[in-house]
Amino acid sequence: MTSSSSSSQATKRLAQTHPEGLRADALMEEDVAWSHEIDTERDGDQFDRSDRAALRRVAGLSTELEDVTEVEYRQLRLERVVLVGVWTTGTARDAENSLAELAALAETAGAVVLDGVIQRRDKPDAATYIGSGKADELRDIVLDSGADTVICDGELSPGQLIHLEDIVKVKVIDRTALILDIFAQHAKSREGKAQVALAQMQYMLPRLRGWGQSLSRQMGGGSGGLATRGPGETKIETDRRRIREKMAKMRREIADMKTGREIKRQERRRNKVPSVAIAGYTNAGKSSLLNRLTGAGVLVENALFATLDPTVRRAETPSGRLYTLADTVGFVRHLPHHLVEAFRSTMEEVGDSDLILHVVDGSHPDPEEQLAAVREVIRDVGATDVPEIVVINKADAADPLVLQRLLRVEKHSIAVSARTGRGIAQLLALIDNELPRPSVEIEALVPYTHGKLVARAHTEGEVISEEHTAEGTLLKARVHEELAADLAPYTPAAAAL
């Protein structure tokens, strides 16, 4: 008999006679029976009781960033999406570019794109957008990938939305809803939030759906009793009425904000300050160009619709002429008409400007399509008569052949790089030449007691030469008619009289 078996029998006898000491003796016997050869392989490192009960750190789990700058734009990825497009016109490359842009929009909204499919059709199916058979295939793709959302590259009707959701069994949204969601995330100013809210309500109104009590009738008119009979009003009808009331209120608020913006524009017109508007496709580098030209410090980010709220900054040409530079919301192909209507007051900055800097991404696979999409929106806001300079940005990353093609096709264009500063000096000189010049050239000897007229000539006009004499300031400048009338008493012809 081995020592371990004899010790266990002794423990049993001890337990029968002294049950209260069983646990302590058994632990002692266990310590005695511990074998170095066997137990080190089984348990690994041995710890004291306090060490075993203590909290122990697990290495490699910390996500703290060593570089603080990396935390500037962290997004929480919540949804896993599958993209669906219907290719009706153009080439296969055009359809793929459109779906790639939809993927970038989805990523900006905070989603992870798992897959993307395109179907060739003459026109989208009226019931399910892609047809019932392809909808079943889409359901299999959603199940295999584990997606929880389907995004369609187009604007779906309420019926298409309902039928497609019934088949794929996950949430379905369209391109318009996705863009509205991005706008809602990025709107910061009071006006921007109001415009986004109005566009969302316009989109939501025909797509309201009711379940259960939402479709039940409420009592008809009257104060009770017999007068309450009648079809009444369903809850969904009540919701629609409330949305219409909110939309009317939102339009009034936006109109009030538009008045404040118009007052500022009138002040600039009164001071004869020319205005330049930066327009272009989203993520083309408009804010980067504004920062390079004026040092505005506007948010710059490699994301779609990163800047929504218009920014107006004061700038100066190389010859010393003052003008304002306005950064506007970015455009995109198939921009929802709800957004064009809601942001019309903001886009009026483009229509009221004296010059448009049309920024296009030279490194984009299809910059010509970007130009066409932006010009369509410019036409919608009535700014076709405003002079335009096509600014081909990101020239440092663009294909030289693409740059040559764009410069050849667009006669009034220039290639720049807002990141490196390439071509910025030439762009400033081009802006100086294109800005409207005062119509009257005048020479006057302004007394020193009327120095305000000289200051106005510097701010409102273009000073050609200036000389200080004993009698006053000899000024030669191009000015507007109003200032020319004020300077007329000091011209040589007036002095001769």
Side-chain angles (χ1 to χ4, degrees), residues 395-452:
D396 55 321
D399 186 352
L401 296 178
V402 174
L403 288 180
Q404 292 177 10
R405 185 179 75 237
L406 289 174
L407 291 171
R408 183 175 63 254
V409 173
E410 299 294 336
K411 302 302 181 184
H412 206 49
S413 60
I414 184 172
V416 304
S417 173
R419 186 177 67 87
T420 63
R422 168 185 169 184
I424 296 298
Q426 292 83 350
L427 176 60
L428 287 171
L430 190 58
I431 293 173
D432 197 357
N433 292 331
E434 291 296 326
L435 283 178
R437 294 181 176 276
S439 55
V440 180
E441 184 172 333
I442 193 171
E443 184 175 353
L445 182 61
V446 183
Y448 291 119
T449 55
H450 293 76
K452 287 185 178 180

Side-chain angles (χ1 to χ4, degrees), residues 229-243:
R229 293 192 179 97
E233 184 182 42
T234 62
K235 186 177 183 301
I236 194 170
E237 291 169 345
T238 305
D239 293 339
R240 286 173 179 160
R241 175 166 49 81
R242 288 175 176 171
I243 287 179

Side-chain angles (χ1 to χ4, degrees), residues 6 16 19 34 44 62 67 74 90 102 126 249 260 293 327 351 358 377 385 398 457 487 491:
S6 60
Q16 294 175 356
W34 184 82
S62 174
D67 187 359
R74 268 195 169 185
L102 186 67
K249 179 182 177 182
L293 293 176
D327 182 18
H358 185 166
V377 180
D385 296 333
L487 288 171
T491 60

Side-chain angles (χ1 to χ4, degrees), residues 343-369:
F343 278 79
R344 186 169 295 276
S345 61
T346 301
M347 294 177 182
E348 285 175 357
E349 293 284 351
V350 178
D352 291 341
S353 62
D354 298 301
L355 179 66
I356 297 176
L357 297 184
H358 185 166
V359 183
V360 61
D361 183 358
S363 63
H364 191 269
D366 194 357
E368 288 87 357
E369 188 170 353

Side-chain angles (χ1 to χ4, degrees), residues 183-381:
F183 272 53
Q185 292 182 42
H186 291 179
K188 297 294 186 294
S189 68
R190 180 167 170 261
E191 184 176 8
K193 291 179 180 178
Q195 289 168 332
V196 171
L198 176 60
Q200 286 178 323
M201 285 187 285
Q202 287 177 321
Y203 175 81
M204 186 193 313
L205 185 60
R207 292 170 174 80
L208 282 181
R209 285 182 278 176
W211 294 272
Q213 293 293 326
S214 297
L215 297 177
S216 62
R217 295 283 177 179
Q218 301 179 13
M219 288 191 299
S223 57
L226 297 176
T228 59
R229 293 192 179 97
E233 184 182 42
T234 62
K235 186 177 183 301
I236 194 170
E237 291 169 345
T238 305
D239 293 339
R240 286 173 179 160
R241 175 166 49 81
R242 288 175 176 171
I243 287 179
R244 292 190 186 99
E245 292 173 354
K246 288 183 179 179
M247 287 170 59
K249 179 182 177 182
M250 202 68 68
R251 286 193 179 99
R252 289 193 297 268
E253 292 180 359
I254 293 175
D256 293 340
M257 300 176 199
K258 178 183 176 181
T259 303
R261 188 180 295 278
E262 182 63 28
I263 290 173
K264 294 179 182 178
R265 280 200 289 261
Q266 289 177 357
E267 183 69 16
R268 292 199 292 268
R269 293 193 199 103
R270 187 177 66 83
N271 293 327
K272 304 296 187 298
V273 178
S275 61
V276 178
I278 302 178
Y281 213 78
T282 179
N283 205 32
K286 299 182 299 299
S287 298
S288 299
L289 185 64
L290 177 69
N291 290 343
R292 172 66 70 171
L293 293 176
T294 65
V298 177
L299 170 68
V300 173
E301 187 181 328
N302 186 21
L304 305 185
F305 299 115
T307 306
L308 286 187
D309 304 317
T311 303
V312 180
R313 290 291 183 269
R314 176 176 171 175
E316 187 174 337
T317 65
S319 63
R321 301 171 62 196
L322 295 178
Y323 66 97
T324 60
L325 198 61
D327 182 18
T328 60
V329 62
F331 303 145
V332 70
R333 74 182 82 181
H334 310 308
L335 189 68
H337 63 276
H338 311 293
L339 285 175
V340 176
E341 182 64 29
F343 278 79
R344 186 169 295 276
S345 61
T346 301
M347 294 177 182
E348 285 175 357
E349 293 284 351
V350 178
D352 291 341
S353 62
D354 298 301
L355 179 66
I356 297 176
L357 297 184
H358 185 166
V359 183
V360 61
D361 183 358
S363 63
H364 191 269
D366 194 357
E368 288 87 357
E369 188 170 353
Q370 287 192 351
L371 288 167
V374 173
R375 282 170 176 158
E376 181 179 353
V377 180
I378 291 176
R379 185 167 54 251
D380 290 341
V381 298

Side-chain angles (χ1 to χ4, degrees), residues 163-195:
H163 293 150
L164 195 56
E165 276 190 353
D166 290 341
I167 296 175
V168 299
K169 306 300 181 185
V170 295
K171 181 175 68 175
V172 177
I173 64 174
D174 57 13
R175 184 188 184 94
T176 303
L178 180 61
I179 293 176
L180 287 172
D181 181 78
I182 296 173
F183 272 53
Q185 292 182 42
H186 291 179
K188 297 294 186 294
S189 68
R190 180 167 170 261
E191 184 176 8
K193 291 179 180 178
Q195 289 168 332

Side-chain angles (χ1 to χ4, degrees), residues 82-84 114-117 134-147:
V82 171
L83 310 180
V84 181
L114 303 179
D115 204 350
V117 292
K134 290 294 186 274
D136 292 334
E137 295 181 19
L138 177 61
R139 179 185 57 196
D140 296 337
I141 294 174
V142 169
L143 290 174
D144 293 340
S145 61

